[in-house]
Amino acid sequence: MEITENFIQQIIEAVKAGQHTVKIKPGVYRLKPKTPSQPHVTLFQLKDMEIDARGVTLLCTNNSTALDILACTNVTLRGLVIDYDPLPFTQGTIVGFAPDRTWTDVRIHKGYSVPSRYDSSKNSERQAFLWTYDKHTRLLKPGAVNRFVDNIIERGDGVYRLDHGTTQFKDQAALGDYIRIPQKFERATGINIISCTNFSLIDVTLHAAPTHFSIASMHNTDLTFRGVRVVPGPPPAGATEPRLCSTIGDGINFDGTLGKLTIENCELRCTGDDGIAVYAQEGIVLRPGTGNQISVSFITQGHPPLASGSRLRFVTGTDGGVQDAAVVSCVATTMPKADIEAARNRAVKEPYGNVMLASAFDLTLDKPIQAREGDMVKQLGPSFVIRGNRIYNGGSRGIVINSSDGVVENNTINHTYLPGIHMFTDFRSHGYSGPQENVLIRGNQISETCQLRPGNDAWLGAICVGSWEAGAKGFGGHNDGCYTDIRIENNQISKAWGVDMQIHNAKAVTIKGNRFLQSHLLKAPNGAPRPVDNSAVIFLQDVDGVSISGNTISKPGRYTNKKPLICIDVTRLSAAAAFKPLP
């Protein structure tokens, strides 16, 4: 039942009355922002408050952010449901392909909106995140790819042509398969949480979100997400087909978090990208500066990536030396643009990294740092717990860890296009990556991963702890590794495509008590350009101090290597290494 009360006004009145709890009147709040780019609701500088929104649905009516939560302290939001009408995506059945697969014809499902007319010549980027689903299982189609679109053209009789330009998508998609199509590509988010302290989302559900993320967290300190669900909502009016997806991008994305991060008992289903992603910023030194001043370029866009108090680790490119400092202030750099680009080009080996280094800043630190142009800088933190979550049918990875000091345990991850659990870094600078340390991956149930059939070396493995090229250096030099003190214990991996577990560029790694079921039922080519053996159960490369014990393999497939443990370029493997096959 739609309701006429003002959602935000109820909170304002509670604040004026000095209340610390506000119970929002249940019902459906159909909202429209003042302008198309504004969020539907903004919560700003609330303190010491619980918002009880059980029984409340925010129904957003355009393709902008549903809820901005800014600079709030000691606030809990409980029970809210968010959905969109019209949906920020549509869907249909594939009814035709070009002979060379440079276009795909789609008949839109009954009750779903027609696709937004899209012409890449009038836009800065191609439309993306068009995933194909098996018509029988409604799972993302194994071996299909993320389709890009240059133009969408109406063909009549409910059919629309997805024009891929010169790209030929010769994948596993077939006539009769389903496909989801984002509407107008917007950098909007279901929920934005920015610059908050001690903030909690409890039992909040998102049924849809615009193109960017379902939930984006930036520059926050001490966060708790418990019982959060990103799942498809009910079919729109008149529809006969259920929704294929919940969101176009990530389920929950954390960037630049400080303090503690707890993510427990959440459900991420049918997301278009990663389920849960925890990032700590990486970058390079652009200008050493003097005293406590230094200029850096970080992997971020649109805003300063580091709050005051953020801890940084600087890595010396020549000897792997490490220096730590804390941020006092972070502002846009005064360096000329040409100097910034020149420094980036000198420092970063790959064009990918140069593109990702999107923003440049002048930092004031709490102490002097002896750094040179091109040295790496990495944010440290938060300490995190990712426990008891359920991730299913996701368009990229299940759980992404680009941070240190955390626990990933007792999660269930099923049918992901890329690794179930992935520790990785964003770019290559002088062959360096990392550092990440002190992470426990324990008791997770992971099945049917890497359905995209990736070939990139750093994206292989149901559990993948990987850097880039062979011989890549870590923060202490080659032998010390990029990843340190990684424990992978008592996980169950089943029906993985390719290698079950990959560990690359790491030291002090424990692999203990893991169970591998029905491994390598399908043939997988080796990874490239670093030669990852996809017939291995456990693949090790550039590692030092690895202990392997008590792992079992049951019902291995025909494409499992006869030596189920493959060790390449191992500096030191513990004498206690053991791998016990079962029938």
Side-chain angles (χ1 to χ4, degrees):
M1 179 181 69
E2 292 192 11
I3 196 165
T4 58
E5 274 79 358
N6 188 308
F7 177 87
I8 195 67
Q9 189 62 35
Q10 296 176 66
I11 299 173
I12 293 172
E13 291 174 0
V15 171
K16 289 180 179 178
Q19 299 174 6
H20 295 294
T21 300
V22 55
K23 178 69 173 78
I24 306 297
K25 185 175 180 179
V28 176
Y29 294 73
R30 180 177 287 271
L31 303 177
K32 183 178 182 180
K34 293 180 180 179
T35 68
S37 61
Q38 283 186 327
H40 290 73
V41 173
T42 299
L43 304 179
F44 180 62
Q45 291 187 341
L46 297 180
K47 291 184 178 181
D48 304 322
M49 175 166 284
E50 175 169 329
I51 302 170
D52 184 349
R54 285 175 288 188
V56 174
T57 296
L58 297 185
L59 193 58
C60 303
T61 56
N62 77 354
N63 204 4
S64 66
T65 294
L67 179 59
D68 263 356
I69 302 171
L70 311 175
C72 293
T73 303
N74 300 330
V75 171
T76 296
L77 175 60
R78 186 184 304 275
L80 182 66
V81 175
I82 292 174
D83 206 350
Y84 279 74
D85 181 20
L87 293 171
F89 46 79
T90 187
Q91 62 185 57
T93 300
I94 296 175
V95 295
F97 295 106
D100 60 358
R101 293 258 183 158
T102 55
W103 51 257
T104 305
D105 279 352
V106 177
R107 176 170 284 109
I108 300 303
H109 289 160
K110 181 181 178 181
Y112 288 86
S113 301
V114 301
S116 300
R117 299 294 294 275
Y118 185 88
D119 185 346
S120 63
S121 66
K122 301 177 182 178
N123 293 271
S124 60
E125 57 186 320
R126 305 172 81 187
Q127 182 71 296
F129 290 101
L130 284 81
W131 288 116
T132 306
Y133 296 75
D134 185 281
K135 61 182 178 182
H136 301 296
T137 65
R138 304 185 67 85
L139 296 174
L140 286 156
K141 187 76 178 281
V145 296
N146 176 4
R147 276 169 157 69
F148 293 84
V149 172
D150 285 341
N151 200 359
I152 297 179
I153 305 162
E154 185 175 3
R155 301 285 294 169
D157 193 27
V159 174
Y160 289 78
R161 176 159 294 176
L162 312 179
D163 181 1
H164 310 307
T166 59
T167 305
Q168 300 179 12
F169 285 109
K170 294 184 177 180
D171 59 357
Q172 300 302 310
L175 295 178
D177 283 339
Y178 295 162
I179 190 168
R180 63 91 178 269
I181 305 170
Q183 296 289 29
K184 186 180 178 183
F185 202 88
E186 299 283 0
R187 289 294 179 183
T189 299
I191 300 177
N192 271 326
I193 307 169
I194 303 175
S195 300
C196 294
T197 299
N198 192 24
F199 182 85
S200 298
L201 278 186
I202 309 296
D203 298 331
V204 169
T205 297
L206 284 90
H207 287 315
T211 306
H212 205 195
F213 302 132
S214 287
I215 304 174
S217 164
M218 295 171 284
H219 319 154
N220 299 292
T221 302
D222 297 335
L223 293 174
T224 299
F225 283 41
R226 188 170 289 119
V228 173
R229 302 173 69 237
V230 178
V231 299
T240 56
E241 290 283 350
R243 299 189 202 182
L244 290 173
C245 62
S246 57
T247 186
I248 305 303
D250 290 359
I252 312 175
N253 183 289
F254 299 90
D255 195 349
T257 305
L258 302 178
K260 296 181 180 179
L261 171 62
T262 302
I263 313 162
E264 292 183 324
N265 300 322
C266 297
E267 181 180 2
L268 295 306
R269 182 156 46 90
C270 302
T271 61
D273 211 322
D274 302 322
I276 297 171
V278 179
Y279 287 92
Q281 284 291 336
E282 297 173 340
I284 59 170
V285 174
L286 294 173
R287 180 175 59 187
T290 58
N292 293 25
Q293 310 298 313
I294 196 166
S295 298
V296 299
S297 185
F298 280 101
I299 301 172
T300 189
Q301 295 188 43
H303 49 75
L306 298 173
S308 176
S310 295
R311 296 181 299 122
L312 301 180
R313 175 162 290 170
F314 291 84
V315 182
T316 303
T318 55
D319 59 9
V322 173
Q323 302 170 76
D324 292 350
V327 174
V328 175
S329 67
C330 174
V331 296
T333 187
T334 57
M335 286 183 67
K337 183 177 180 180
D339 292 350
I340 294 171
E341 293 303 319
R344 287 173 177 164
N345 291 337
R346 286 190 294 268
V348 180
K349 294 175 61 177
E350 299 290 334
Y352 170 77
N354 198 20
V355 170
M356 291 294 285
L357 289 166
S359 301
F361 301 95
D362 293 333
L363 304 181
T364 300
L365 305 175
D366 65 344
K367 62 182 180 182
I369 290 292
Q370 301 299 316
R372 288 163 288 189
E373 179 188 284
D375 284 351
M376 185 176 181
V377 57
K378 172 86 174 185
Q379 182 188 15
L380 299 178
S383 60
F384 60 88
V385 174
I386 305 174
R387 178 186 292 127
N389 304 287
R390 301 170 304 284
I391 300 170
Y392 175 72
N393 199 24
S396 184
R397 299 159 293 182
I399 296 174
V400 180
I401 309 164
N402 191 312
S403 191
S404 300
D405 302 320
V407 176
V408 182
E409 67 178 354
N410 299 335
N411 301 284
T412 301
I413 303 168
N414 178 252
H415 201 87
T416 58
Y417 253 35
L418 289 168
I421 297 176
H422 194 199
M423 290 185 66
F424 86 120
T425 57
D426 278 300
F427 73 98
R428 288 176 259 192
S429 173
H430 295 309
Y432 278 72
S433 54
Q436 294 173 41
E437 56 193 0
N438 189 28
V439 175
L440 172 62
I441 302 172
R442 177 175 62 192
N444 301 284
Q445 305 280 324
I446 306 170
S447 63
E448 298 181 82
T449 55
C450 289
Q451 295 296 304
L452 180 61
R453 311 295 198 246
N456 296 38
D457 46 28
W459 299 80
L460 296 174
I463 295 178
C464 178
V465 179
S467 182
W468 296 92
E469 62 272 4
K473 296 179 179 180
F475 61 85
H478 170 75
N479 288 338
D480 281 349
C482 165
Y483 306 97
T484 303
D485 192 16
I486 308 299
R487 290 163 291 160
I488 305 175
E489 302 174 355
N490 301 320
N491 302 283
Q492 178 172 293
I493 297 174
S494 60
K495 296 183 180 179
W497 186 86
V499 61
D500 291 86
M501 186 182 299
Q502 179 189 179
I503 312 296
H504 171 235
N505 198 11
K507 74 169 186 177
V509 178
T510 300
I511 303 173
K512 180 180 179 181
N514 300 285
R515 301 175 301 282
F516 303 96
L517 280 64
Q518 295 179 281
S519 179
H520 299 87
L521 300 177
L522 301 172
K523 188 173 183 178
N526 289 343
R530 180 166 54 82
V532 176
D533 187 342
N534 251 327
S535 70
V537 176
I538 300 175
F539 181 86
L540 306 176
Q541 188 172 31
D542 293 339
V543 296
D544 186 0
V546 178
S547 174
I548 303 177
S549 62
N551 303 283
T552 59
I553 179 168
S554 179
K555 299 180 181 179
R558 60 183 295 193
Y559 300 106
T560 307
N561 193 290
K562 293 180 180 179
K563 296 180 179 179
L565 173 61
I566 302 297
C567 303
I568 297 179
D569 296 338
V570 176
T571 305
R572 187 168 66 253
L573 185 66
S574 83
F579 195 95
K580 181 183 178 183
L582 293 178

